[in-house]
Amino acid sequence: MRLLFIGDVYGAPGIAAVQAYLKRHRDAFDFVVANGENCAGGFGITRSQFRSLRDAGVDVVTLGNHTFDQAETAELLEETPRLVRPLTYPRGTPGVGFVTLPARDGTRVTIGQVMGRIFMDPMDDPFDAADAIVEAAGPNDPVIVEVHAEATSEKRVLTYHLEGRVSAVIGSHTHVQTADEAIHQGTASITDVGMTGVEHSSIGMRFEEVHHRMRTKRPRRFKPATGTATLCAVALTLEGRRAHTIERVRWRAEEAS
Ligand SMILES: [Fe+2]
């Protein structure tokens, strides 16, 4: 089966890029995942943005450290298992940290997310959480673990921890796609899948305000960058639990016109 994992969708330009890309390529995939925690200008996701991604053909939307930036997300998490937040949140947090759903070809796919602890808010152990995701999946079904984390070393060690036991370990959060995709023991990996947003920006925000803050140490409200987004993703070919191929995708929406 073919699975597409789309990197952090940032603001309206990011959502537009997902819509444009999937309009052309949705039929090439049996299952599509997108990280949507930056849809609301970098701060979480609204109900209507979640709906837009679903309508575009995304099967599961994942979150991260911005999960609860929008007030309505807690309620939305209780309504649908197709919105997945890190399993490493404390016990009793609304929503699910993994979900198993049928792909177009009938395969049952498990998508789970953990968050790292280095340079991030303290959370539960991502290694234990990743093990729990593996244990919950069917014995031969594809399992994708998204590691939403800042530190490359932590993502690499979590990948090592999961090699041979999951189909793919996909890093997210840094918004810059890395060129280290690989397959070991049937597990595909990439340290960071990248951002689906305006590339000429401070990882999604306009430069002007971020530049001001960095140079003066005085606050100024950040604004999301405008313009044409680039979609970053990885395309996976999976058979049972094993990954056969992983290909990076970096697609500029303006190439569509
Ligand atoms: Fe993040």
Side-chain angles (χ1 to χ4, degrees):
M1 60 116 38
R2 295 270 293 164
L3 186 145
L4 183 72
F5 195 110
I6 301 171
D8 308 35
V9 182
Y10 204 109
I15 294 171
V18 173
Q19 289 166 332
Y21 185 82
L22 291 183
K23 198 170 158 196
R24 286 158 183 79
H25 301 292
R26 180 62 185 87
D27 284 343
F29 299 98
D30 298 294
F31 203 86
V32 177
V33 184
N35 180 299
E37 71 146 4
N38 293 118
C39 282
F43 300 103
I45 189 168
T46 65
R47 185 180 294 273
S48 71
Q49 288 161 347
F50 172 73
R51 187 38 51 205
S52 296
L53 293 179
R54 290 278 297 123
D55 289 347
V58 176
D59 294 292
V60 168
V61 176
T62 60
L63 295 166
N65 52 305
H66 291 294
T67 294
F68 294 106
D69 285 2
Q70 298 295 316
E72 63 205 70
T73 312
E75 201 176 87
L76 189 57
L77 276 165
E78 296 285 19
E79 287 169 24
T80 174
R82 290 181 182 268
L83 188 61
V84 172
R85 46 82 176 163
L87 185 60
T88 42
Y89 270 106
R91 197 182 306 230
T93 298
V96 295
F98 59 87
V99 65
T100 302
L101 291 166
R104 279 191 180 174
D105 70 343
T107 307
R108 291 183 64 76
V109 185
T110 297
I111 309 293
Q113 188 186 49
V114 302
M115 209 150 86
R117 295 183 292 188
I118 299 175
F119 312 130
M120 307 284 283
D121 261 3
M123 282 226 158
D124 288 355
D125 184 344
F127 294 87
D128 284 347
D131 289 345
I133 293 166
V134 177
E135 279 161 27
N140 251 325
D141 295 339
V143 180
I144 312 295
V145 176
E146 178 185 354
V147 179
H148 198 77
E150 186 73 46
T152 301
S153 57
E154 190 176 28
K155 294 180 188 178
R156 298 290 298 133
V157 175
L158 269 156
T159 300
Y160 166 77
H161 180 72
L162 290 166
E163 273 169 2
R165 298 194 290 142
V166 303
S167 314
V169 182
I170 309 293
S172 62
H173 178 68
T174 69
H175 293 195
V176 177
Q177 189 176 73
T178 55
D180 61 343
E181 75 276 18
I183 299 179
H184 291 288
Q185 297 178 60
T187 300
S189 67
I190 188 165
T191 298
D192 206 292
V193 62
M195 173 181 72
T196 297
V198 178
E199 274 193 321
H200 191 65
S201 70
S202 174
I203 60 170
M205 289 295 182
R206 263 171 47 131
F207 280 121
E208 288 84 343
E209 294 78 17
V210 184
H211 182 257
H212 175 270
R213 192 144 118 182
M214 286 182 176
R215 293 223 61 190
T216 67
K217 295 293 170 188
R218 294 198 301 272
R220 183 172 282 182
R221 185 188 286 265
F222 291 168
K223 293 188 181 134
T226 54
T228 305
T230 300
L231 177 137
C232 287
V234 286
L236 303 165
T237 311
L238 310 174
E239 197 179 320
R241 182 67 54 93
R242 293 182 79 83
H244 285 305
T245 64
I246 175 168
E247 281 166 71
R248 276 183 285 128
V249 177
R250 190 157 162 243
W251 180 83
R252 275 183 68 76
E254 68 187 18
E255 288 168 16
S257 54

